Amino acid sequence: MTSADRKSVLVAGGTGGIGRAICTTLAAAGLNVAFTYGRNHDGAATLADELAAAGVGSFFRGVALEDAAAVSAFADDAAAALGGVDAVVYAAGPNLSLAPISALDPAEWSRVIDVDVKGAFHLVAATLPHLRRRPSSAMVAVITAAVERVPRMDILSAAPKCAIEALFRGIAKEEGRHGIRANCVGPGWIDGGMGRRVVAEQFTPAKLERLLAVTPLGRMGTPGDVAAAVAFLLSDAAGYITGQSLAVDGGLQL
């Protein structure tokens, strides 16, 4: 099978801990992969080499997701390079730290909303025209399992992801007539990317032990755990699933 014969996926946030696992997992499943990155050009180039070694087509570009025109141009160029877009994954989001609501700076709140919520909407607006050209297509947003319950110290992550969850459920309701499915995956504490950084910087060993003690599966997740859920929801095996959120959290939100 040549690259032109394969389905293609566009991943926003391909160089993050979870985003990278999503890209490599989907490439292993035989999809061409186009991805965006923020500042990590070297990581993006290395990932592109890995995708090429997997035998699939790839396309990547540094994109500020809060720039609607840049996101639209990327989607159009990726579709042209890979022969269309069959699936879309929003796996991006700004770096942030745990903090109580009373300590949040309004400027920081605005920054996160601009990058995350606006970025997700810009991706949707740019890619829906491409997805509508396919007989069946799918979108997945990587949000957070914290949308299940109001978290302590993590509202800066949970609130924007709640908005993104509502956006993708709206897509499911409105775009199903075009054969487009839309779902979300909500990671819990993941040993990779921002989750690993927050644990390293803000958790004591005792706090991490308490977290694992209240997690039914007794461990942190891996980026691969999240990527496997994304791959399932994009696949034909999930062909009658839309408008849903799948928590990948080891049972922490129970």
Side-chain angles (χ1 to χ4, degrees), residues 5 29 176 227 250:
D5 298 321

Side-chain angles (χ1 to χ4, degrees), residues 15 31 39 67 93 111 121 130 161 164 176 195 203 241 244:
T15 56
L31 278 71
R39 296 177 298 275
D67 183 340
R111 179 187 73 86
F121 176 78
H130 296 286
K161 298 304 187 186
I164 294 168
F203 277 42
I241 299 174
Q244 304 303 308

Side-chain angles (χ1 to χ4, degrees), residues 45-191:
T46 300
L47 175 57
D49 289 342
E50 291 183 25
L51 299 177
V56 302
S58 68
F59 180 88
F60 69 99
R61 180 180 296 166
V63 178
L65 297 176
E66 61 269 37
D67 183 340
V71 177
S72 180
F74 171 77
D76 291 346
D77 292 346
L82 299 179
V85 175
D86 300 276
V88 172
V89 179
Y90 180 76
N95 283 322
L96 48 86
S97 298
L98 300 178
I101 296 170
S102 60
L104 291 178
D105 187 308
E108 175 69 355
W109 178 269
S110 295
R111 179 187 73 86
V112 172
I113 294 295
D114 281 348
V115 174
D116 210 7
V117 180
K118 289 184 179 179
F121 176 78
H122 293 161
L123 183 70
V124 166
T127 56
L128 276 179
H130 296 286
L131 294 177
R132 284 176 174 174
R133 298 186 185 113
R134 297 310 211 199
S136 63
S137 54
M139 309 181 83
V140 171
V142 179
I143 51 171
T144 172
V147 301
E148 302 291 329
R149 293 193 308 184
V150 176
R152 286 186 70 252
M153 306 278 288
D154 198 25
I155 201 68
L156 198 58
S157 171
K161 298 304 187 186
C162 282
I164 294 168
E165 180 184 44
L167 172 64
F168 272 63
R169 293 184 74 184
I171 294 164
K173 198 157 193 175
E174 296 180 4
E175 298 293 327
R177 67 186 187 276
H178 297 295
I180 298 172
R181 297 183 299 106
N183 294 288
C184 296
V185 168
W189 285 101
I190 302 300
D191 187 16

